[in-house]
Amino acid sequence: RVSAQTTITSLPDSHGGIGDPEDAGQDFFAPTDGDSAFSNFTCYIGGAGANVTFVASLYPFSSSTGHVTGAALYTSSPQTVNNGALGTQFSFTPSTPITLTSGGEYIFVFHQTSSGGDIQYDDSDNYAPGEFRDTPGTPPYTSSTWSPYTPHPTEDIAFSATFVTPTPEPTCACGLIVAGMLMSRGRRRI
C-alpha cells in the first residue's frame, strides 16, 4: 500500500446545527484497509445559551444494542466552546495513535461538564454507516443507552476521523543478547 493514512468523514457540513442538552456522540466504523490506529477526530461545534465546558471520549460501541462495550480508549482534557460560536473547529489527537479493531464500531462522545448551555453540533448526512446519537446517561456509560437523535435520526455530526497504520509492538531481543554474551564469555582461549 502506498497510503499510510485513511480518513472517514461526514463533511461537508450542512451549515445547520443540532442543539443537545444531553451527552451526544457520533458512531463510526474503524477502517478495514490496514489503517486502524485512531489518530484524530475533528468536528465543528458551538455553545448555545452559554459557554460550555466538555470532555470528549472514544469508546467501543454496538449500534445494535445502543451501548458502549468497554472502557474509554481516549479522553480529552476539558475544552470550552463559546456561546454562539457555531462552526468552531475542535480537533482531538491522542498522544500516540490508538489501535482499534479493524471494522470495529466505536462512538466518539461529548460529555458536558458545565451547566446553563448546550453544545450545538454542526450537522451533516454524509456518513451512512454511522449516526448522531445521544443519551441521558453519564460516563462511564455502562448502563446508558445511546439512541439515534430523534428529531434528526439520520444526521451525523460534521466530523472527520483520521486513522494510520498501527505501529507493531517492538520485540525484545534482550534474551538473545544475554545468551550470546554468556556463550562468548564461556569460551576461553587456551
Side-chain angles (χ1 to χ4, degrees), residues 2-22:
V2 175
S3 172
Q5 178 174 303
T6 299
T7 299
I8 60 171
T9 185
S10 69
L11 298 173
D13 69 5
S14 65
H15 303 292
I18 302 171
D20 199 335
E22 298 182 321

Side-chain angles (χ1 to χ4, degrees), residues 1 3-8 28-40 58 73 94 96-106 161-168:
R1 285 182 354 111
S3 172
Q5 178 174 303
T6 299
T7 299
I8 60 171
F28 64 88
F29 291 85
T32 58
D33 63 358
D35 295 338
S36 60
F38 170 80
S39 67
N40 177 271
L58 174 67
L73 303 171
T96 59
I98 300 166
T99 300
L100 305 180
T101 301
S102 178
E105 190 172 11
Y106 297 86
T162 305
F163 302 84
V164 296
T165 304
T167 304

Side-chain angles (χ1 to χ4, degrees), residues 73-182:
L73 303 171
Y74 165 81
T75 298
S76 73
S77 61
Q79 306 289 312
T80 299
V81 61
N82 295 327
N83 183 31
L86 187 62
T88 302
Q89 178 178 315
F90 280 84
S91 288
F92 304 93
T93 304
S95 57
T96 59
I98 300 166
T99 300
L100 305 180
T101 301
S102 178
E105 190 172 11
Y106 297 86
I107 188 166
F108 200 85
V109 305
F110 301 87
H111 171 65
Q112 299 180 50
T113 59
S114 63
S115 58
D118 302 333
I119 294 179
Q120 183 90 9
Y121 302 88
D122 280 21
D123 65 332
S124 167
D125 194 13
N126 298 319
Y127 181 67
E131 59 195 328
F132 178 87
R133 294 176 173 270
D134 66 353
T135 184
T138 57
Y141 306 113
T142 52
S143 60
S144 302
T145 298
W146 290 85
S147 302
Y149 186 62
T150 306
H152 306 278
T154 62
E155 292 292 310
D156 299 302
I157 293 174
F159 81 97
S160 67
T162 305
F163 302 84
V164 296
T165 304
T167 304
E169 292 293 321
T171 56
C172 180
C174 302
L176 295 174
I177 294 170
V178 170
M181 289 172 52
L182 290 174

